Amino acid sequence: MPDSPAGPPAPPIPLAELLGREELGLRRIAGPDHAELLWVHTSEMADPYPYLLGGELLLTAGVQLTDADTYVARLVQAGASALGFGVAPVHDTVPAALVEACERHGLPLLEVPPETRFTAVARAVWRLMAEARHRELRRVTRAQQALATAAARPDPVPAVLRQLAVQLEGRVALLTADGGVLHAAGGRTAPDVQTALARLARVVAPAAPAPTAPRTPSPGRKPSPSSAAETRGDTHLFAYALGGGQGLALALATPRRDSGDHTVAGIAVVLLSLLTAPHQGADAAGRSAALVRLLLGASPQDVAPLLGDGDSWTVVHARRADGAPADPLNAGALGAALGSALSDVDRATVRILLPGPHEPVTPRPGWTLGVSDPSPVTALPDADTQAARALGHAEATRAPLSTHRPGTGGLAGLVPADRAEAHARALLAPLSGPLAETLRCWLSLHGSWDRTAVALTVHRNTVRQRIARCAALLDMDLDDMDVRTELWFALRSRP
């Protein structure tokens, strides 16, 4: 078959789909009932072999058809997928010799009725190809989104493998150079398939030489291929080398190999290469060291220098202004815009930690932000609460940004802190945490039911019920300004 310098513009079209277009009136009269069409070509040459790329539906009226057997044999040798024979004006019927030759050589033969133009057949094939291409792009896009979401999970490597197994409907595994399985997902495979996958993994990711072996490659030695494939019965096997210098390979065993599968597998290879690569850079190393030390019992003060410059931290809470859920990708982008790589997504809320001195936080298009006071690392839980309250205040007042406003002294500064805290504990003792927080938010928003409901993300009737419960438990008239003032002072002094 002649070499093809470029692949087809779209996925192959099953012959059955073309035969299903009733308006064309095509009828298969010889050869197998399955074939995949990549091109449409019309020729009246006695031997069109030199002009075929392979995979064609060749259309002809048989103008120069003299030796049917030789003609069909040459088409099969060129890799043609099917032959369409137009009835009239040259032949009234499809020649019997052509029918016999196509049956003998296994080439599908289609009868094209007189009323169907060859251009109509070509147009139908290209329309089917466009539809298939659109389906493939949608499938690849959905797979890419699913794999990216999986990569953002706390267990990214197993999550990506599980999602890839779902997308390809097969078995996937992350293998070491010696064939060891690090992670796997999907249905079980036969032992011979597992052996074959391990062999393919060694082809694309060969084991590193022993320390005593010379490191200089031998002259003329070819580098390992980036991928390898073979077939075992109806199972297609593939192995892809991962980047990062870890000697790992992605192995696949799938029941089919559609045109979009290679693209989906390539996306997974890129993600897994990034996820399995060793951490680089001082910032990443510092964060990793801080996490390890915290898990091993170090105090926050000890790990603070590893997390960034400065001894103060600011917490930012953010939500999408359009109400759409946040994801790790746009959370990371927001964090980068604010100057920090420390971001997290908790349900619909993005939380960002800004270390040390930083530029003032300014509104960001498409986001509603709540900002805490700068706090030492030991007070980060309080700063987190401040940011959450500030975000609720921003949403309640429909402002793009709200910053926590600490007490400025005044009359409150005349009361010693320990006495103020003792008074607050005694006064607010009947209130549970949710009730006290609802009362604090309601007072901060000047008794607005609707704004408090927005800030706390509850129904306004829930706010009314909680405030009524607070009034009953405290045995106070919350419409009295003196009462409100005393409660606000206590809530601000409460530890």
Side-chain angles (χ1 to χ4, degrees):
M1 187 181 96
D3 293 333
S4 174
I13 301 302
L15 178 61
E17 288 194 19
L18 181 63
L19 293 174
R21 304 298 289 259
E22 297 181 357
E23 71 276 10
L24 297 177
L26 303 178
R27 185 168 65 95
R28 184 182 62 85
I29 58 177
D33 59 358
H34 60 275
E36 291 188 335
L37 311 178
L38 299 177
W39 323 91
V40 178
H41 184 62
T42 301
S43 175
E44 297 300 338
M45 299 180 66
D47 181 16
Y49 173 94
Y51 301 96
L52 300 182
L53 295 174
E56 290 90 352
L57 166 62
L58 180 65
L59 301 175
T60 182
V63 175
Q64 299 191 54
L65 180 63
T66 55
D67 185 347
D69 189 77
T70 301
Y71 181 81
V72 173
R74 291 285 284 172
L75 294 184
V76 172
Q77 185 181 1
S81 293
L83 175 64
F85 194 88
V87 177
V90 181
H91 298 271
D92 294 333
T93 60
V94 180
L98 184 62
V99 176
E100 294 173 0
C102 287
E103 193 68 41
R104 183 165 52 255
H105 290 282
L107 182 68
L109 175 61
L110 311 183
E111 180 186 73
V112 183
E115 63 274 13
T116 299
R117 299 171 181 259
F118 284 177
T119 54
V121 177
R123 188 182 299 115
V125 170
W126 289 111
R127 186 177 295 113
L128 289 171
M129 289 179 120
E131 294 171 356
R133 181 63 174 169
H134 182 63
R135 289 195 300 269
E136 178 194 22
L137 290 175
R138 288 199 303 175
R139 179 193 167 218
V140 169
T141 300
R142 289 194 299 267
Q144 182 178 14
Q145 293 171 344
L147 291 171
T149 301
R153 291 177 57 86
D155 55 343
V157 172
V160 168
L161 292 175
R162 287 193 296 269
Q163 189 56 238
L164 183 62
V166 171
Q167 296 296 330
L168 300 185
E169 300 180 2
R171 173 77 171 178
V172 303
L174 185 62
L175 305 182
T176 60
D178 57 3
V181 179
L182 294 179
H183 300 283
R188 303 293 300 176
T189 55
D192 63 320
V193 171
Q194 297 178 25
T195 302
L197 288 176
R199 185 175 63 255
L200 290 177
R202 288 192 293 270
V203 171
V204 300
T212 56
R215 296 182 179 274
T216 304
S218 58
R221 182 178 179 181
K222 295 182 179 179
S224 301
S226 60
S227 63
E230 68 174 73
T231 302
R232 286 295 179 100
D234 295 332
T235 303
H236 301 276
L237 310 181
F238 304 88
Y240 299 87
L242 300 189
Q246 302 302 295
L248 302 178
L250 174 65
L252 311 174
T254 61
R256 67 177 194 280
R257 187 61 167 174
D258 292 340
S259 54
D261 290 346
H262 180 71
T263 303
V264 174
I267 295 171
V269 168
V270 173
L271 289 174
L272 291 171
S273 297
L274 295 173
L275 293 171
T276 57
H279 294 292
Q280 300 293 330
D283 290 342
R287 289 194 296 271
S288 298
L291 177 59
V292 170
R293 294 188 188 185
L294 283 173
L295 292 175
L296 294 179
S299 67
Q301 296 93 325
D302 294 335
V303 303
L306 297 174
L307 295 175
D309 297 330
D311 57 359
S312 66
W313 297 78
T314 302
V315 180
V316 178
H317 281 210
R319 291 197 190 101
R320 294 275 297 272
D322 57 5
D327 59 59
L329 295 179
N330 52 37
L334 177 62
L338 295 178
S340 174
L342 305 176
S343 64
D344 180 37
V345 179
D346 183 9
R347 298 180 183 176
T349 304
V350 175
R351 299 191 299 178
I352 299 170
L353 196 58
L354 303 180
H358 55 80
E359 294 294 327
V361 178
T362 57
R364 298 289 164 175
W367 293 93
T368 302
L369 306 179
V371 185
S372 76
D373 286 335
S375 304
V377 69
T378 53
L380 283 180
D382 293 337
D384 189 55
T385 301
Q386 293 174 5
R389 291 175 176 175
L391 176 61
H393 187 274
E395 290 184 321
T397 57
R398 298 182 181 180
L401 182 146
S402 178
T403 301
H404 176 73
R405 291 169 292 181
T408 57
L411 293 177
L414 300 178
V415 181
D418 56 343
R419 296 183 62 183
E421 290 181 8
H423 175 72
R425 287 195 185 95
L427 180 63
L428 302 174
L431 304 184
S432 64
L435 289 179
E437 177 62 19
T438 301
L439 179 59
R440 186 208 63 79
C441 185
W442 181 70
L443 291 173
S444 72
L445 293 170
H446 311 291
S448 171
W449 308 109
D450 292 330
R451 288 185 175 184
T452 304
V454 171
L456 298 177
T457 64
V458 297
H459 195 275
R460 67 194 307 270
N461 289 341
T462 301
V463 176
R464 288 182 176 275
Q465 293 168 2
R466 290 181 181 178
I467 296 301
R469 182 63 175 162
C470 290
L473 291 173
L474 296 173
D475 192 21
M476 292 182 173
D477 180 8
L478 299 186
D479 289 331
D480 189 317
M481 180 55 67
D482 290 336
V483 171
R484 290 193 182 191
T485 302
E486 183 176 1
L487 288 173
W488 180 249
F489 173 80
L491 288 165
R492 296 298 299 271
S493 303
R494 186 183 186 186

